[in-house]
Amino acid sequence: MKSNLPYSLTMALALATGSASAADLRIYPSFSEVRETVKATGTTLSVNLPQETWNSVIPGSLDLDGVAFSSAVQKQEANWLTSLEGKPVFLRTGDKIETVTLIRARDLLIRDAQGRYRNVPYSDLSFSDLPPLNPQSPTQTLTYTVPSGATGTLSYLTRAVTWSPRFTLKASSAGAQLSALADIRNGTELPYNVQNTELYAGDVEVQDGQPMPAAPMMMQRAEAASADFAAPKINTVGELRGLTRYDLSAPFTLPASSMVTLPFLTPKLTSFERFVGLTFFFNTQPTTGTMNRFYRFKADERLPSGSLTVREDGRIVGQTTIPETGKGANVEFSLGNDPDVRYTRSVETQNQQKDSKGNVTRTTYRVTYAFESSKDRAIRAEVTERAGGRRIIIDSAPAVQNQGVANLRVDVPANGKASKSFVLVIDNS
């Protein structure tokens, strides 16, 4: 049964003490669905969360499956320290520890044995009982009224748990290999004992504002997080209405404020190319410059969108982001300019036609690219040039409307030169 509650009621299940919460996670690139089995105590089902974690839940996403509740009441509870107001606590001053009375938790106002009041830092206080996680933070409580002993599944969407793939392309004179890791991030203050984990790649929109910022402690805790469990494997399940689903082979613990990294994909490359390239929009001005370093490859399986680091002979030569790509489709990207390969572009007007008023209606151009390489090996040069007009004709290809594209390819020899031309007709008659 989906709860139609206001934003302050649409929250999550967990314990405010920081103990791991057993859950199933369905993790997407920008949010996650957390699913937890819940059982009522009598006719009451209570949900508690620290305020910081509460704030990361997507409004309107709370869903209680399998339980018909008659009411739900949300309330912000005072922080743990408030419960100690008027009670004795311990204050450290230098090497001395004295018993004082906590008067006001909000600003840590105490009264000492001499009856004097002052504000003290929390780090100087100690207590007889074990404090919960973030004892100065309030908690949110959501209480359902349900049939006695009811059991169901509470789910919610959170921006604080996400995942992303991280690719590495290792290239050398012998060829190239592609591999990927999966980074699973938990930006909440709560650890999860994850029983079943599904990862989804693809474009999924949710009705919400901006994504939650990443927790600043994630990267610092990654190593400790990954050392606390036997790492599960990630298996490809298949396609789900345009998304790709992956499952983890075993339960694992996702610590609070952490990033867990797992081996992900090792797709086989069915083709791999290095070349220098250039994209240009037609004009009649002569142009010179340097080409850009390009890579192109195809993989034997679908690739999710993610960051890509390229290494040549073990050395990093650049980083980029690749889009989600279907099996056998081209992945093409540039890593910056290549000063070893220069080009000169020239344009010759071969013919013009005018109407009765003297306006030019049709022009034929010859566009030539001359390449010069100082590399000690041959390199392929590729140029994509776009031209606009009412009707565009490139070489002997059929005319197209509005915009035409010329694609040039030429192999430039080591320490040598090469050129390539095309004829362009712009017909605005």
Side-chain angles (χ1 to χ4, degrees), residues 95-137:
D95 295 331
K96 178 183 177 183
I97 296 180
E98 59 179 311
T99 301
V100 298
T101 302
L102 180 64
I103 300 301
R104 194 166 56 223
R106 182 175 59 185
D107 58 352
L108 296 178
L109 179 69
I110 60 97
R111 183 181 65 234
D112 61 22
Q114 288 73 40
R116 294 172 297 195
Y117 295 86
R118 68 182 187 272
N119 300 100
V120 298
Y122 176 77
S123 59
D124 288 346
L125 295 177
S126 56
F127 312 96
S128 299
D129 297 325
L130 177 68
L133 185 70
N134 292 324
Q136 295 178 269
S137 174

Side-chain angles (χ1 to χ4, degrees), residues 19-295:
S19 59
S21 175
D24 293 344
L25 294 182
R26 297 171 181 173
I27 310 176
Y28 297 78
S30 61
F31 69 95
S32 284
E33 181 182 16
V34 181
R35 300 178 62 84
E36 305 185 30
T37 300
V38 292
K39 183 176 177 59
T41 302
T43 59
T44 299
L45 177 61
S46 295
V47 175
N48 302 285
L49 259 187
Q51 185 67 45
E52 291 81 0
T53 305
W54 195 271
N55 291 340
S56 70
V57 176
I58 295 176
S61 68
L62 189 72
D63 194 4
L64 188 59
D65 285 335
V67 179
F69 64 88
S70 58
S71 67
V73 178
Q74 182 268 334
K75 181 182 179 182
Q76 178 173 295
E77 304 288 349
N79 64 40
W80 177 78
L81 273 182
T82 302
S83 68
L84 300 182
E85 289 180 346
K87 298 180 180 180
V89 296
F90 304 101
L91 174 67
R92 183 182 71 251
T93 305
D95 295 331
K96 178 183 177 183
I97 296 180
E98 59 179 311
T99 301
V100 298
T101 302
L102 180 64
I103 300 301
R104 194 166 56 223
R106 182 175 59 185
D107 58 352
L108 296 178
L109 179 69
I110 60 97
R111 183 181 65 234
D112 61 22
Q114 288 73 40
R116 294 172 297 195
Y117 295 86
R118 68 182 187 272
N119 300 100
V120 298
Y122 176 77
S123 59
D124 288 346
L125 295 177
S126 56
F127 312 96
S128 299
D129 297 325
L130 177 68
L133 185 70
N134 292 324
Q136 295 178 269
S137 174
T139 60
Q140 295 283 348
T141 300
L142 177 60
T143 303
Y144 288 97
T145 301
V146 298
S148 180
T151 300
T153 300
L154 187 73
S155 68
Y156 60 92
L157 305 183
T158 175
R159 289 289 191 187
V161 180
T162 60
W163 86 285
S164 61
R166 194 156 38 101
F167 293 93
T168 299
L169 178 66
K170 296 181 179 180
S172 68
S173 58
Q177 297 83 39
L178 183 67
S179 62
L181 301 172
D183 294 331
I184 303 174
R185 299 176 179 84
N186 180 10
T188 72
E189 300 169 339
L190 296 174
Y192 290 98
N193 281 328
V194 189
Q195 302 304 304
N196 299 288
T197 307
E198 300 172 7
L199 305 179
Y200 288 90
D203 185 16
V204 180
E205 295 183 2
V206 292
Q207 300 301 310
D208 179 44
Q210 297 298 317
M212 293 292 293
M217 300 172 67
M218 286 180 184
M219 296 303 295
Q220 297 174 5
R221 296 192 180 182
E223 292 183 4
S226 62
D228 290 340
F229 63 95
K233 295 181 180 179
I234 301 177
N235 301 313
T236 302
V237 176
E239 185 262 352
L240 177 66
R241 300 295 181 183
L243 306 179
T244 306
R245 174 182 164 183
Y246 308 92
D247 284 359
L248 269 64
S249 62
F252 78 106
T253 297
L254 182 60
S257 301
S258 70
M259 183 175 75
V260 173
T261 300
L262 299 173
F264 183 31
L265 299 175
T266 53
K268 180 181 178 181
L269 297 185
T270 57
S271 68
F272 173 72
E273 299 175 86
R274 303 178 186 89
F275 60 98
V276 291
L278 179 69
T279 299
F280 206 89
F281 291 89
F282 175 79
N283 63 57
T284 59
Q285 301 301 314
T287 310
T288 61
T290 58
M291 303 292 284
N292 292 316
R293 294 178 292 133
F294 273 84
Y295 291 78

Side-chain angles (χ1 to χ4, degrees), residues 48 107 145 187 193 246 301 306 316 323 371 384-385 411:
N48 302 285
D107 58 352
T145 301
N193 281 328
Y246 308 92
E301 61 182 285
I316 293 177
F371 305 97
T384 298
E385 180 156 331
D411 291 326

Side-chain angles (χ1 to χ4, degrees), residues 282 361-365 387-389 391-393 424-428:
F282 175 79
T361 58
R362 180 184 172 104
T363 306
T364 302
Y365 302 96
R391 295 174 71 246
I392 302 296
I393 302 172
L424 168 66
V425 178
I426 300 178
D427 187 349
N428 291 316

Side-chain angles (χ1 to χ4, degrees), residues 274-279 287-294 334 336-345 369-383 408-420:
R274 303 178 186 89
F275 60 98
V276 291
L278 179 69
T279 299
T287 310
T288 61
T290 58
M291 303 292 284
N292 292 316
R293 294 178 292 133
F294 273 84
S334 171
N337 73 324
D338 188 336
D340 289 335
V341 184
R342 298 186 59 83
Y343 74 92
T344 299
R345 176 183 176 275
Y369 282 86
F371 305 97
E372 183 174 0
S373 173
S374 59
K375 292 183 179 295
D376 58 4
R377 64 187 183 279
I379 185 75
R380 170 169 291 182
E382 297 187 10
V383 174
L408 306 182
R409 291 190 176 192
V410 61
D411 291 326
V412 185
N415 296 303
K417 299 179 181 180
S419 64
K420 192 78 170 181

